């Protein structure tokens, strides 16, 4: 092969030059070139080495079907691995690097592997590298294969936000059939979108030269696009349909040059028309992988689109009129071309790093390019992805679209219409039908692919080594060996030999391989079957699929109404359970946190607990509903009273905990953990709507409506009484677990008395504006702002659990010491049966305990295992651990098998290979009698 | 990505929905004796049919539950029914 650029012709802009390099050599092309056409125009024919045998490889095709021409590219600071040269638009300054060869593509010291080919047959890796294990060998073998290098840092930045779009009719492929159908549909009033993967629309029509009516390709294409756009339709080029997914969602990837990350379009189409063309198949002749053996159609594409003749002395081996007509075009452009019919003579390509000739039987011809056409396979990957079936056409030896979903249709060569005039007629009728809400019955024209192109099958006899799949480096001999070893179904064959498993998904090789297998097994091709086509149609950067959905954009934290107040107070905002909350205030954490803890224990602390879930339950069925979903009895609560309760799952495990207050006879308030509010609401709604009477009970999530400030400490009552003079906070008027309502600053306010810290605490709930005022007043009166870190220590000292931290998906209330209601409750409730299951009755349940460490020891690591026994195994783990400022020693909570029966026992704490000792203790380390709950 | 019809909000992307469970499952009366086998069946055994199936789904944005009949093979949505008594036909 020695390609060159013609002085005229093609769709490129010869007035401008684009400089690029290949393996360090400076070359030039023109705008409109692909990397492959620019390389061919410069006479480059060796693009790299093959995957397994390190054979020299060139270019086979002219588009997405290309199995060989993968290159690593660098453009500016961007490095992109494994780019398909035939589908990459040339840009100024591109630096391309060949793959597979070591040290390079010309001198490849690994080429010796090819000599070993008799030993590297089907399943070679499976048969050889199983001892000591594939993982041992894999890194070295991967290096030998020499695929592209990934630039991880660059890939991270190669992102773009996806676009969501919709269309009445999506037409994939802007060739003759696609444009004709799209125009017919658009002019009938349909909302049409045409996408085409190439940079210039037109598909194979450029290579054909003329439309069936005699108009030149360029004028015809321009006229169709103008008509589509005039009728309100859209045409997008350089946009590849990657996949057809459920309910007609189509993923499209729009390329805008390598410098800009490609953009994903998620398009929902009412109907989809696939005009994806056909792919030329190779011929199984000896040495058919040599650089210079090329698809005959690709040579026409290079001539028509880029003004490049791929060789000077060509031989065409074909058995169809389409390719033979192409030979005339190439001859007219100045190539010497010899059309040969080998019959059944053995054919072998001569040459090593490039084609030098051809041997047919006893005859020898010298040439620099061998064009082959082994027939055409309709490109039906998207059709199959969308649920379409395949019918085998024995005459054309090709799969044609069979029955499929009603919203999917196929036109043009993809549907088996290889004759342009018939394809056009069929596509126009189809386009009108697809846009008709009430389409006429009656059959469409039927394809006759073999007759369209006068197909005559060529079966040259074997001579030398013949390749079926160039990308995965699979030969005829390997397929035959695999079939002889019993791997004779397509799925086994594929996995055993890697046929069709490369980045090209076997576009040019699948049908050839199937046919070969069918002949070997003496079974019809449909019985052998075809492998599944899966998205994406073409390799796609993972960053394009991920889009911008990461970090904060994937899961944005919830923000509190008083966030500005916390910022002003020097709050260090961190994420806690999905909310952005102050961890501590003002100073360094090591200083601030113990001070905040001390403020609550000795003075007054002020904690913003607004994210606490606040779900109101209303209606005549509210009490009954709560009795069913709560572990505790709720119906017997008086107005103004509250009760601590768990919400259980059906298996008896704890979903969440909280306090239920009765605000009125038919009005309750359920509080739940900040992080679980959404899950709790969903859980309650399920039981309300699916099981209970949804007309008698209503749920209302008021979490965002009320800000909650917790005033906690020995001085809390005195300070708050001055700020809320019209609400009774006295020990008699507001008992522990009680709730009073009143007003503050003209707004409604609720004060609940409960305590997470162990000190006298009041939780004041009120709207955002008065909440800000109350916060400021409390600070002026001397309350100290307290962050989440200090709160965590305060509750740990008291042994109060955080559901999800100190419990896991198996923890039940009795494991935490709550068993009182288990038998007492008269009505059925969620989890009741689960609490008497075999698992619940087990003696080895993990129970909540505290842990004490020896004098002077550091806090235990959270997550450390508690091990015991002669054969040590984990009997539990540390769930919470911190240094208690009040006690001056570390405190820890843990879940431990039979823990409550083991108080005082020594356990071994294992963490990352190191062990320490600890003693099992009651979970409440501070003020175990609760005397501080009601301090003055 | 499937399109599911919420009876209250219309056709929406499947990401707006959560699967709740198989439709028609009745909770055994836990005030009577419920054998381990019956309970395990209620908790864990699902029909999981290949083809038409009846399921309860939740539309996350309006928090309403409804019964959706769909074909698990062809992914076609066959019918939807609201769970509310007053809205039922």
């Amino acid at each position: 092969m020695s390609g060159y650029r013609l002085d005229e012709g093609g769709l490129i802009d010869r007035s401008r030059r684009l400089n690029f390099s290949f393996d360090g050599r400076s070359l030039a092309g023109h705008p409109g070139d692909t990397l492959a056409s620019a390389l061919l125009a410069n006479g480059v024919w060796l693009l790299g080495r093959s995957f397994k045998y390190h054979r020299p490889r060139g270019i086979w095709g002219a588009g997405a079907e290309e199995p060989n021409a993968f290159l690593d590219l660098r453009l500016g600071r961007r490095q992109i691995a494994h780019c398909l040269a035939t589908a990459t638009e040339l840009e100024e300054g591109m630096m391309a690097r060949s793959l597979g060869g070591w040290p390079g593509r010309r001198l490849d010291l690994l080429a010796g592997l090819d000599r070993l080919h008799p030993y590297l047959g089907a399943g070679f890796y499976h048969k050889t590298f199983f001892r000591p294990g594939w993982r041992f060998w894999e890194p070295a073998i991967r290096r030998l294969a020499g695929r592209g290098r990934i630039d991880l840092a660059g890939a991270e930045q190669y992102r773009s936000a996806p676009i969501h779009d919709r269309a009445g009719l999506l037409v994939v492929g802007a060739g003759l059939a696609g444009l004709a159908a799209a125009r017919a549909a658009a002019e009938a009033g349909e909302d049409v979108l045409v996408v085409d993967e190439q940079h210039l629309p037109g598909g194979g029509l450029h290579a054909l030269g003329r439309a069936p009516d005699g108009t030149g390709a360029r004028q015809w294409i321009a006229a169709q696009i103008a008509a589509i756009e005039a009728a309100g339709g859209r045409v997008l080029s350089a946009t590849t349909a990657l996949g057809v997914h459920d309910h007609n969602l189509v993923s499209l990837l729009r390329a805008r040059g390598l410098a800009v990350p490609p953009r994903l379009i998620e398009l929902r189409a009412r109907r989809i028309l696939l005009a994806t063309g056909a792919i030329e198949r190779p011929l199984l002749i000896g040495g058919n992988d040599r650089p210079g053996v090329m698809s005959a159609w690709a040579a026409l594409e290079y001539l028509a689109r880029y003004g490049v003749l791929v060789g000077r002395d060509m031989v065409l081996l074909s058995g169809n009129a389409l390719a033979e007509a192409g030979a005339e075009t190439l001859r007219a452009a100045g190539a010497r071309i010899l059309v040969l019919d080998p019959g059944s003579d053995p054919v072998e390509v001569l040459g090593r790093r490039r084609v030098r000739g051809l041997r047919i039987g006893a005859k020898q011809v010298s040439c620099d390019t061998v064009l082959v056409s082994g027939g055409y396979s309709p490109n039906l990957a998207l059709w199959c992805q969308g649920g379409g079936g395949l019918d085998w056409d024995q005459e054309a030896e090709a799969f044609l679209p069979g029955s499929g979903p009603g919203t999917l249709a196929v036109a043009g060569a993809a549907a088996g219409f290889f004759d342009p005039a018939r394809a056009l007629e069929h596509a126009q009728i189809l386009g009108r039908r697809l846009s008709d809400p009430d389409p006429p019955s009656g059959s469409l024209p039927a394809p006759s692919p073999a007759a369209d192109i006068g197909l005559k099958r060529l079966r040259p006899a074997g001579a030398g080594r013949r390749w079926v799949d160039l990308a995965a480096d699979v030969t005829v001999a390997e397929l035959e060996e695999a079939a002889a070893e019993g791997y004779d179904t397509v799925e086994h064959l594929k996995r055993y030999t890697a046929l069709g498993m490369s980045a090209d998904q076997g576009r040019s090789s699948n049908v050839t391989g199937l046919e070969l297998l069918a002949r070997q097994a003496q079974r019809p091709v449909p019985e052998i079957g075809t492998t599944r086509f899966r998205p994406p149609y073409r390799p796609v950067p993972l960053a394009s699929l991920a889009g911008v959905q990461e970090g904060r954009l994937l899961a944005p934290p919830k923000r509190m109404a008083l966030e500005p107040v916390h910022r002003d107070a020097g709050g260090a905002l961190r994420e806690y359970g999905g909310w952005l909350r102050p961890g501590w205030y003002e100073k360094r954490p090591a200083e601030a946190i113990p001070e905040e803890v001390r403020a609550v224990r000795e003075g007054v602390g002020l904690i913003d607990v607004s994210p606490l879930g606040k779900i109101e339950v209303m209606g005549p069925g509210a009490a009954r509903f709560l009795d069913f979903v709560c572990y505790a009895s709720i119906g017997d609560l008086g107005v103004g009273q509250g009760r601590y309760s768990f919400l259980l799952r059906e298996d008896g495990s704890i979903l969440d905990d909280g306090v239920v207050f009765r605000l009125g006879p038919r009005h309750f308030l359920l509080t739940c953990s900040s992080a679980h509010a959404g899950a709790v609401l969903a859980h309650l709604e399920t039981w309300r709507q699916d099981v209970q009477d949804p007309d008698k009970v209503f749920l209302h999530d008021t979490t965002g409506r009320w800000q909650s400030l917790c005033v906690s400490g020995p001085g809390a009552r005195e300070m708050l009484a001055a700020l809320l003079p019209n609400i009774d906070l006295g020990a008699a008027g507001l008992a522990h677990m009680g709730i009073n309502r009143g007003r503050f600053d003209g707004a409604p306010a609720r004060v609940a008395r409960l305590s997470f810290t162990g000190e006298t605490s009041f939780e004041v709930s009120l709207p955002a504006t008065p909440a800000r005022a109350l916060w400021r007043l409390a600070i002026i009166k001397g309350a100290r702002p307290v962050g989440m870190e200090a709160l965590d220590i305060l509750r740990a000292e008291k042994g109060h659990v955080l559901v999800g931290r100190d419990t896991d998906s198996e923890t039940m209330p009795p494991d935490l010491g709550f068993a009182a209601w288990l038998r007492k409750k008269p009505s059925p409730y969620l989890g009741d049966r689960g609490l008497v299951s075999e698992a619940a009755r087990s003696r080895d349940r993990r129970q909540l305990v505290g842990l004490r460490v020896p004098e002077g020891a550091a806090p235990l690591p959270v997550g450390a295992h508690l091990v015991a026994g002669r054969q040590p195994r984990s009997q539990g783990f540390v769930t919470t651990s911190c240094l208690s400022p009040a006690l001056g020693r570390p405190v820890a909570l843990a879940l431990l098998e039979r823990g409550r029966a083991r108080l005082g026992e020594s356990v071994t704490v294992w963490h990352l290979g190191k062990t320490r000792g600890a003693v099992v203790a009651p979970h409440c380390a501070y003020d175990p009698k609760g005397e501080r709950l009601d301090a003055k | 990505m499937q399109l599911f019809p919420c009876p209250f909000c219309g056709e929406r992307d499947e990401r707006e929905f959560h699967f709740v469970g198989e439709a028609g499952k009745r909770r055994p009366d836990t005030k009577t004796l419920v054998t381990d086998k019956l309970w395990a069946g209620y908790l864990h055994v699902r029909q999981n049919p290949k083809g038409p199936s009846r399921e309860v789904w939740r539309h996350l944005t309006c928090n309403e539950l409804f019964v959706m009949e769909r074909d698990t093979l062809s992914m076609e949505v066959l019918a939807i029914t609201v769970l509310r008594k007053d809205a039922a036909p």
Side-chain angles (χ1 to χ4, degrees):
Chain A
M1 185 179 273
S2 54
Y4 61 98
R5 180 95 64 186
L6 299 175
D7 293 336
E8 53 186 24
L11 310 169
I12 49 165
D13 176 7
R14 281 188 178 73
S15 67
R16 282 172 54 213
R17 271 167 63 102
L18 295 178
N19 298 300
F20 71 107
S21 72
F22 178 55
D23 278 351
R25 186 177 150 202
S26 296
L27 302 167
H30 298 293
D33 261 326
T34 61
L35 195 54
S37 71
L39 286 168
L40 288 170
N42 282 285
V44 176
W45 32 263
L46 175 62
L47 259 71
R49 294 281 172 158
S50 77
F51 169 63
K52 184 173 169 187
Y53 297 112
H54 284 260
R55 303 257 297 186
R57 289 288 164 82
I59 295 172
W60 153 265
E65 77 283 3
E66 169 62 38
N68 277 334
F70 287 95
L71 304 172
D72 271 5
L73 288 187
R74 178 171 279 281
L75 184 68
R77 285 167 52 205
R78 177 104 40 231
Q79 162 136 5
I80 296 152
H82 228 70
C83 270
L84 194 53
T86 53
T88 303
E89 201 179 12
L90 188 68
E91 289 176 68
E92 173 69 32
M94 251 180 194
M95 300 196 304
R97 189 178 71 84
S98 64
L99 299 175
W102 184 82
R105 70 192 206 292
R106 286 165 175 281
L107 174 70
D108 181 5
L109 297 178
L110 299 169
L113 281 171
D114 192 34
R115 302 265 162 108
L116 302 173
H117 73 85
Y119 310 102
L120 299 177
F124 165 70
Y125 298 105
H126 303 276
K127 289 168 184 168
T128 314
F129 298 107
F130 58 89
R131 213 169 276 148
W134 172 247
R135 275 189 204 170
F136 175 80
W137 298 99
E138 187 185 351
I141 292 172
R142 289 220 183 278
R143 268 199 303 280
L144 278 185
R147 297 292 92 180
R149 284 184 213 148
I150 293 172
D151 169 22
L152 283 177
E156 216 20 67
Q157 297 152 14
Y158 209 52
R159 291 171 183 263
S160 63
I163 293 177
H164 294 259
D165 199 355
R166 58 196 307 154
L169 176 69
L170 171 73
V171 179
V172 182
L176 176 77
L179 288 175
R183 178 178 182 173
E187 289 182 342
E190 182 60 282
D191 163 31
V192 174
L193 172 67
V194 187
V195 297
D196 191 275
E197 64 180 338
Q198 292 190 282
H199 296 274
L200 282 174
L205 192 55
H206 295 293
L208 271 178
R210 296 194 170 279
D213 64 3
T215 321
R218 283 163 81 169
Q219 292 88 319
W220 192 88
I221 292 160
Q224 307 314 307
I225 291 174
I228 292 165
E229 288 177 343
R234 296 176 287 163
V235 181
L236 284 182
S237 58
T239 305
T240 308
L242 297 173
V244 174
H245 314 277
D246 290 331
H247 295 183
N248 278 5
L249 182 78
V250 184
S251 47
L252 304 168
L253 193 71
R254 178 136 214 232
R256 294 170 293 168
L258 287 185
V260 187
R263 196 186 285 283
L264 186 72
I265 304 174
E266 293 179 28
L267 179 108
R268 188 77 69 172
R270 204 159 51 241
R271 292 203 164 106
I272 302 167
L273 177 69
L274 303 170
T276 40
I279 293 166
E280 195 155 48
R281 291 208 292 265
L283 269 185
L284 299 179
I285 54 176
N288 61 351
D289 69 324
R290 291 296 178 203
V293 179
M294 186 183 246
S295 150
W297 188 266
L300 291 174
E301 290 280 346
Y302 285 113
L303 176 62
R305 284 179 175 258
Y306 314 108
V308 170
L309 259 185
V310 296
R312 293 165 198 272
D313 264 315
M314 307 188 189
V315 171
L316 171 68
L317 299 175
S318 105
N320 67 72
L322 202 56
E324 276 155 30
E328 285 311 311
T329 313
L330 292 167
R331 190 172 289 138
R336 279 190 298 276
I337 184 159
L338 186 62
V339 182
L340 289 179
D341 181 351
S344 57
D345 286 343
V347 180
E348 187 173 13
V349 176
L350 306 172
R352 255 193 66 73
R353 284 207 236 145
R354 60 190 289 183
V355 169
R356 301 209 177 276
L358 200 64
R359 189 187 294 126
I360 304 183
K363 206 167 65 185
Q364 199 158 318
V365 195
S366 77
C367 60
D368 61 18
T369 307
V370 177
L371 301 182
V372 297
S373 175
Y376 304 90
S377 305
N379 183 8
L380 293 170
L382 295 173
W383 168 253
C384 293
Q385 284 179 23
L390 297 176
D391 285 342
W392 178 248
D393 185 307
Q394 186 57 44
E395 251 182 280
E397 299 198 321
F399 282 108
L400 299 183
S403 60
T407 53
L408 223 58
V410 191
F417 288 92
F418 291 162
D419 174 65
R422 300 198 58 229
L424 184 68
E425 183 202 355
H426 171 258
Q428 283 169 335
I429 299 173
L430 198 57
R432 276 194 294 275
R433 278 204 187 184
L434 288 171
S435 56
D436 193 339
D438 187 22
S441 53
S443 54
L444 286 158
S448 51
D452 278 357
I453 51 170
L455 187 77
K456 185 172 74 188
R457 296 300 295 171
L458 299 186
R459 296 225 194 284
R465 292 162 71 200
R466 299 172 293 163
W467 265 259
V468 179
D469 187 343
L470 295 172
D473 232 2
V474 180
T475 62
V476 172
E478 281 173 59
L479 282 193
E480 287 172 349
E481 185 188 348
E485 290 180 18
Y487 294 92
D488 57 358
T489 70
V490 65
E491 297 294 344
H492 284 150
L493 186 76
K494 178 177 170 177
R495 280 152 187 80
Y496 196 54
T497 63
L499 174 73
M501 282 175 72
S502 260
D504 72 331
Q505 295 191 11
R507 268 185 259 288
S508 59
S509 63
N510 263 341
V511 178
T512 317
L514 285 176
E515 246 187 292
L516 203 69
L517 189 64
R519 249 182 288 153
Q520 172 106 353
Q522 295 187 318
R523 280 155 61 198
V525 172
E527 269 184 36
I528 305 282
T530 177
T531 57
R532 243 190 116 71
F533 293 93
R534 292 186 178 88
Y537 174 75
R538 259 178 59 185
V540 48
L542 287 174
S544 302
L545 298 181
V548 291
Q549 291 182 33
E550 60 164 339
R552 291 221 159 160
L553 286 175
L554 181 65
K558 295 177 196 150
R559 314 285 286 263
M560 303 201 296
L562 265 56
E563 188 184 307
V565 174
H566 299 307
R567 287 191 187 278
D568 287 349
L573 296 173
R574 299 281 183 279
E575 201 179 316
Y576 293 92
W579 286 83
L580 207 55
R581 307 180 70 167
W584 58 90
Y585 289 87
E586 244 178 326
K587 305 179 182 171
R588 289 184 303 108
E591 267 179 87
I593 295 166
E595 280 184 29
E596 291 171 16
V597 171
R598 232 167 279 132
V600 173
R601 293 277 179 243
E602 291 161 15
V604 182
L606 184 58
I607 314 160
D608 186 346
V609 292
S610 303
L612 199 73
K614 292 175 276 283
I615 298 168
E616 291 190 22
V617 186
M618 288 163 279
R624 209 183 134 217
F625 174 73
L626 285 167
D627 260 333
F628 177 70
V629 297
C630 291
Y631 177 65
S633 294
I634 301 299
D636 58 350
L637 279 178
V639 172
Q641 288 181 337
R643 188 166 289 158
Y644 177 75
S645 176
F646 295 104
L647 296 170
L648 304 185
R649 302 183 190 91
E650 270 291 29
D651 63 359
S653 64
I654 297 170
L655 173 75
D656 200 13
D657 65 349
V659 178
V660 183
F661 294 103
R662 189 165 209 158
L663 300 177
R666 297 174 168 192
H667 189 187
F668 295 83
L669 171 69
L670 184 149
T671 66
C672 53
S673 313
S674 315
H676 301 161
V680 166
L681 186 68
H683 169 82
L684 295 179
E685 278 292 354
T686 302
W687 289 100
R688 178 183 86 90
Q689 295 182 41
D690 199 13
V691 178
Q692 299 273 319
D693 186 345
D695 293 334
K696 293 214 164 105
V697 52
F698 301 92
L699 300 174
H700 188 36
D701 180 7
T702 62
T703 306
R705 196 74 64 78
W706 296 88
Q707 305 308 310
S708 298
L709 303 181
C710 178
V711 185
S712 184
R717 178 174 283 132
E718 195 187 336
M719 177 186 290
L720 208 54
L723 294 174
L724 302 171
N726 58 1
I727 301 179
D728 188 354
L729 306 177
L734 184 57
H736 185 57
M737 303 302 271
I739 191 164
N740 273 345
R741 290 199 272 183
R743 300 189 81 76
F744 169 77
D745 206 11
R750 291 194 303 237
V751 182
R753 217 187 116 198
L754 36 75
S755 179
F756 201 40
T757 61
E759 304 297 329
T760 307
S761 300
F762 298 90
E763 213 171 271
V764 188
S765 295
L766 60 184
T769 306
R772 268 190 287 273
L774 183 66
W775 176 281
R776 294 212 168 98
L777 287 173
I779 298 294
I780 291 167
K781 291 242 172 209
R784 164 134 200 174
V786 173
M788 297 307 293
E789 298 296 334
L791 182 62
D792 196 45
I793 293 174
L794 289 160
R795 67 99 197 165
E797 289 174 339
K798 282 296 295 175
H800 287 156
V801 296
L802 268 186
V803 170
R805 271 271 291 284
D806 304 294
T807 68
D808 63 14
S809 62
E810 291 175 8
T811 309
M812 298 178 180
D815 303 330
L816 304 181
F818 293 85
W821 288 288
L822 197 55
R823 281 170 198 86
K824 248 170 56 180
K825 208 168 162 179
S827 57
Y829 62 95
L830 259 185
D832 53 2
R833 181 59 181 79
L835 289 176
V836 294
S837 65
E838 205 180 308
R841 292 193 309 263
S842 161
R843 287 185 49 232
D844 290 337
R845 291 198 62 81
R846 286 176 173 170
Q847 297 171 327
L848 181 76
V849 292
L851 292 176
R852 284 194 76 146
V853 294
E855 192 74 38
L860 296 166
V862 172
H865 287 275
L866 307 179
V867 296
R870 244 173 299 163
Q871 281 180 313
R873 63 173 184 91
S874 174
Q875 299 188 343
F877 47 89
V878 178
T879 59
T880 291
S881 172
C882 60
L883 189 68
S884 161
L887 300 171
R889 62 171 172 86
V891 294
L893 297 177
L895 286 172
L896 176 65
E897 282 179 13
R898 291 178 289 108
R900 276 205 312 282
R902 294 165 70 176
L903 296 183
E905 205 176 286
S906 292
V907 287
T908 306
V909 181
W910 183 95
H911 184 63
L912 301 178
K914 289 192 178 135
T915 56
R916 299 172 51 180
V919 176
V920 182
H923 61 272
C924 180
Y926 181 78
D927 183 28
K929 289 189 182 148
E931 283 157 344
R932 305 183 61 87
L933 266 185
D934 205 14
K936 287 271 144 47
Chain B
M1 201 73 66
Q2 304 177 67
L3 283 178
F4 289 155
C6 168
F8 305 95
C9 310
E11 264 196 348
R12 301 295 183 96
D13 189 297
E14 71 172 75
R15 283 175 290 196
E16 289 188 16
F17 296 82
H18 265 188
F19 177 69
V20 174
E22 191 175 284
K25 272 214 151 185
R26 286 192 71 85
R27 186 177 196 265
D29 178 3
T30 49
K31 280 292 141 188
T32 62
L33 181 74
V34 181
T35 62
D36 282 352
K37 197 176 171 196
L38 183 70
W39 187 247
Y42 163 70
L43 274 192
H44 305 300
V45 179
R46 303 282 179 273
Q47 300 289 330
N48 199 19
K50 179 181 179 181
S53 71
R54 290 189 85 232
E55 299 158 340
V56 180
W57 285 76
R58 171 205 320 284
H59 187 213
L60 298 172
T61 49
C62 74
N63 234 333
E64 290 283 346
L65 274 67
F66 60 98
V67 172
M68 178 153 62
E69 289 169 61
R70 59 186 200 100
D71 192 309
T72 56
L73 198 59
S74 71
M75 299 297 176
E76 196 183 347
V77 177
L78 306 169
I80 49 168
T81 324
V82 295
L83 278 173
R84 289 174 166 223
K85 279 189 298 181
D86 57 350

